[in-house]
Amino acid sequence: MSQAVQSVNVGIIGFGTVGSGTARIILQNAGLIERRTGKKIILRRIADLDTERDRGVAIPQGVLTTDAFEIINDPAIDVVVELIGGIEPAKKFMLAALKNGKHVVTANKALLATHGTEIFTEADAQHRSIGFEAAVAGGIPIIKVMREGLAANNILSIYGIINGTSNYILTRMTKEGAPFDMVLKDAQRLGYAEADPTFDIEGIDTAHKLTLLASLSYGIGLSFDKVYKEGITAITPEDIAYASELGYKIKLLAIAKVVDSEIELRVHPTMLPEDYLISKVDDVLNAVYVVGDAVGETMYYGRGAGDMPTGSAVVSDIIDIASRGETSCERRGCSFLNAAQNAGTGFKIKDISDIETMYYFRFTVVDKPGVLSKISGVLGEHNISISAVIQKGRREGEAVPLVVLTHKAKERDIVNAVREIDKTPVVAAKTRFIRVEDKEYN
Ligand code: HSE
């Protein structure tokens, strides 16, 4: 495809939720896109093992095939859109498409976060683009923001709610006091969850997306293995109620921030002051809050999943590729990876035990005199300062929850203190702790 060509031929591999949305947008909005951009997007082929099921989109005759290689090997196709997800055969298809001179557009965050180096290297070798706007926060154009809109900034921090399933679960647990398992089943029934919901609820999907955002922002390559990952499975309605009493919401947050010239990269349930804008992002919605040294605070909000929102991001990548052509790709580097690394930041990634933040503890302790002083004594010995304590009810001699909020403390000290406290006979169950991000008290 040269810059002079006014039309772009597209083949989609994977006719599931996002594939259907992408096809619908191309077919419905082709006229609008052509008027707006001067580019005609032609949906030439769609490959899926199931060509019979009605997806509610009228696909012209001869477009559907069961063989992905009819797209990959079709000389007329300029852009291959990979929407099957997972590692294989998606990786094989992408590499073959690049080798055949196709540009690739994908929503596959898992593949790019874990095997992206190989794929972007091949794209660079072939002078072809990989569009992955749809891989992070669905319809929110956050990749464009990081690559272009904020290109003049040192990115100081990124806080994201970028997994709709876990946000939906935490929102319903918060609003209804509903237990985790019940809400997860609803999320699966409604089609929000990944094929394997472990990726959603254990923070893995969030970490895939954070890997891509952080790589763009900090020139640290694709560092998925170095992202600290903790999911929401251990959060109870009780924790959520205590958080609320203390003025906080619990959200599964992706965090990347520069601290002492190093990068913190972490995904975990986080207590946030309930009056923060991002704390108000509920249900399946996503939001990314980015602070740049020039621009200051910014926030991007929208649907992070679903056929049409994610399709919107896929089609924007196709338009982008059609508009930029090959020369622009050569100038800027087809691979965002090299472009980001050339920025030369290359920060060291902090180990989770080196971070410092505030913490919420829920101890399960025997209700008898001297217990609080025993626990606060151990915390004090580990340099952990208490800012609030809640203990309700009275069940003498029985186990009760004791909730403690701390000032800023070191994670290493927190872990050591919990280990020591959990060995004492006054503790009846494993202590839970949740990290708190609060500008006011940090
Ligand atoms: N399972 C993902 C989510 C879909 O819940 O956000 C979009 O990546």
Side-chain angles (χ1 to χ4, degrees), residues 271-391:
M271 278 173 43
L272 291 165
E274 57 195 0
D275 59 349
Y276 282 11
L277 208 48
I278 199 164
S279 303
K280 300 182 194 301
V281 175
D282 280 339
D283 302 311
V284 283
L285 282 142
N286 281 200
V288 188
Y289 167 85
V290 184
V291 184
D293 63 346
V295 72
E297 294 175 88
T298 62
M299 193 160 122
Y300 313 88
Y301 170 81
R303 298 217 158 251
D307 55 352
M308 297 298 270
T310 314
S312 159
V314 169
V315 179
S316 94
D317 272 344
I318 299 171
I319 295 170
D320 213 31
I321 287 170
S323 308
R324 280 192 285 121
E326 286 161 25
T327 46
S328 159
C329 174
E330 273 166 32
R331 194 173 67 244
R332 300 182 48 192
C334 300
S335 148
F336 85 95
L337 203 64
N338 286 348
Q341 285 191 339
N342 289 343
T345 42
F347 288 99
K348 180 176 177 287
I349 298 165
K350 246 187 212 231
D351 189 84
I352 188 71
S353 58
D354 292 326
I355 73 155
E356 272 186 82
T357 189
M358 292 166 60
Y359 293 82
Y360 154 100
F361 288 111
R362 179 167 46 82
F363 300 103
T364 307
V365 290
V366 181
D367 192 7
K368 64 174 192 185
V371 169
L372 184 56
S373 81
K374 169 80 193 147
I375 286 179
S376 62
V378 177
L379 294 179
E381 282 159 25
H382 287 87
N383 294 313
I384 300 162
S385 166
I386 293 171
S387 70
V389 177
I390 306 177
Q391 199 223 309

Side-chain angles (χ1 to χ4, degrees), residues 169-344:
I169 293 173
L170 289 174
T171 301
R172 283 203 43 204
M173 287 175 74
T174 304
K175 288 186 178 163
E176 301 164 25
F180 173 84
D181 292 335
M182 187 193 96
V183 190
L184 170 62
K185 284 203 183 83
D186 281 354
Q188 285 178 289
R189 190 174 44 77
L190 291 164
Y192 300 145
E194 297 290 302
D196 177 356
T198 318
F199 277 26
D200 294 299
I201 60 179
E202 297 294 1
I204 298 164
D205 179 71
T206 304
H208 287 146
K209 295 165 179 168
L210 179 64
T211 300
L212 297 172
L213 285 180
S215 178
L216 274 177
S217 312
Y218 298 115
I220 51 174
L222 293 163
S223 305
F224 175 72
D225 292 342
K226 294 191 185 143
V227 179
Y228 173 78
K229 307 163 194 84
E230 183 185 313
I232 60 168
T233 52
I235 300 293
T236 62
E238 201 179 20
D239 289 322
I240 292 173
Y242 281 121
S244 168
E245 204 170 326
L246 293 161
Y248 293 96
K249 282 266 199 82
I250 299 179
K251 294 288 182 189
L252 180 68
L253 226 58
I255 301 174
K257 62 175 168 178
V258 183
V259 182
D260 307 328
S261 305
E262 292 185 358
I263 296 285
E264 293 184 9
L265 275 187
R266 42 192 173 102
V267 172
H268 51 72
T270 309
M271 278 173 43
L272 291 165
E274 57 195 0
D275 59 349
Y276 282 11
L277 208 48
I278 199 164
S279 303
K280 300 182 194 301
V281 175
D282 280 339
D283 302 311
V284 283
L285 282 142
N286 281 200
V288 188
Y289 167 85
V290 184
V291 184
D293 63 346
V295 72
E297 294 175 88
T298 62
M299 193 160 122
Y300 313 88
Y301 170 81
R303 298 217 158 251
D307 55 352
M308 297 298 270
T310 314
S312 159
V314 169
V315 179
S316 94
D317 272 344
I318 299 171
I319 295 170
D320 213 31
I321 287 170
S323 308
R324 280 192 285 121
E326 286 161 25
T327 46
S328 159
C329 174
E330 273 166 32
R331 194 173 67 244
R332 300 182 48 192
C334 300
S335 148
F336 85 95
L337 203 64
N338 286 348
Q341 285 191 339
N342 289 343

